[in-house]
Amino acid sequence: MLKDSEKIFQPCKGVDESLEFQTPCLCYWQFFLATNFLTVYQLDTSLRSEIALTRQELKGSECLKSLLTLIQHIQQHRNISSNFLSGNASARTEMQQKQAEIDDDIKVFDTLVTKYGSEFKVQGEWDVIKQGWQRSSRKCCSCLRKKVINDTKK
């Protein structure tokens, strides 16, 4: 009894014996190669699109990490400034340190917006948020800080 693989390739064994089997054998091989080529092409296309999507997600993740750090520092600054405005004079140095951290976070996010801003279409929104923070840090108004945090969460 012949195995399945021997049954499939049995016509190809007779190529040397007769020319009658040569044409069907070539047709089978062409069909076999064409279907494999299409399968590999579809797999390649699918993997390339998945890779492109993953790269976009990594870029977005990089931006979100930086933005999350900025939001956390703004919230911490709000708590420290509230403590300072309540009469705790020792909170002034801590508030200034937190302000420096926020300024660094803004610079980091500025570079990311420069790098990916047109791709993610966030340049205009980031400018509004940054200007809001600069106004609120000058006026030291907690309601403006809350607005900046809420705008950033959008």
Side-chain angles (χ1 to χ4, degrees):
M1 180 163 206
L2 295 174
K3 294 180 183 176
D4 289 336
S5 62
E6 291 175 2
K7 288 179 186 178
I8 293 172
F9 296 110
Q10 187 65 33
C12 294
K13 290 181 180 179
V15 170
D16 292 336
E17 298 170 9
S18 170
L19 292 176
E20 294 174 8
F21 290 107
Q22 187 173 12
T23 305
C25 184
L26 289 176
C27 288
Y28 292 139
W29 277 105
Q30 287 174 349
F31 177 74
F32 176 74
L33 291 175
T35 55
N36 281 340
F37 174 76
L38 287 175
T39 303
V40 169
Y41 175 76
Q42 289 173 342
L43 179 64
D44 180 61
T45 303
S46 173
L47 290 176
R48 286 180 190 270
S49 66
E50 290 292 324
I51 289 170
L53 180 63
T54 302
R55 286 184 178 143
Q56 284 295 100
E57 288 176 349
L58 288 172
K59 291 175 187 177
S61 177
E62 182 182 1
C63 291
L64 288 176
K65 284 180 189 177
S66 175
L67 190 59
L68 179 63
T69 303
L70 175 64
I71 290 172
Q72 289 171 342
H73 287 161
I74 289 174
Q75 290 172 337
Q76 292 166 358
H77 186 276
R78 180 185 65 202
N79 293 336
I80 295 168
S81 63
S82 174
N83 191 13
F84 174 72
L85 293 174
S86 297
N88 185 358
S90 63
R92 179 181 211 91
T93 58
E94 191 178 354
M95 187 172 65
Q96 290 170 341
Q97 290 172 348
K98 195 57 69 175
Q99 177 68 42
E101 289 177 15
I102 291 171
D103 292 340
D104 292 341
D105 294 339
I106 288 174
K107 288 176 187 175
V108 167
F109 199 75
D110 270 338
T111 60
L112 291 173
V113 167
T114 303
K115 190 175 181 182
Y116 303 123
S118 62
E119 191 172 348
F120 294 139
K121 299 177 180 86
V122 295
Q123 181 70 47
E125 294 175 21
W126 171 242
D127 289 340
V128 169
I129 291 169
K130 189 168 63 170
Q131 290 170 0
W133 170 255
Q134 290 168 346
R135 278 195 311 268
S136 70
S137 64
R138 275 188 243 124
K139 293 182 180 179
C140 196
C141 176
S142 63
C143 60
L144 283 175
R145 288 202 174 99
K146 287 179 188 176
K147 182 182 180 326
V148 169
I149 291 170
N150 290 333
D151 287 347
T152 308
K153 288 181 182 178
K154 291 179 189 175

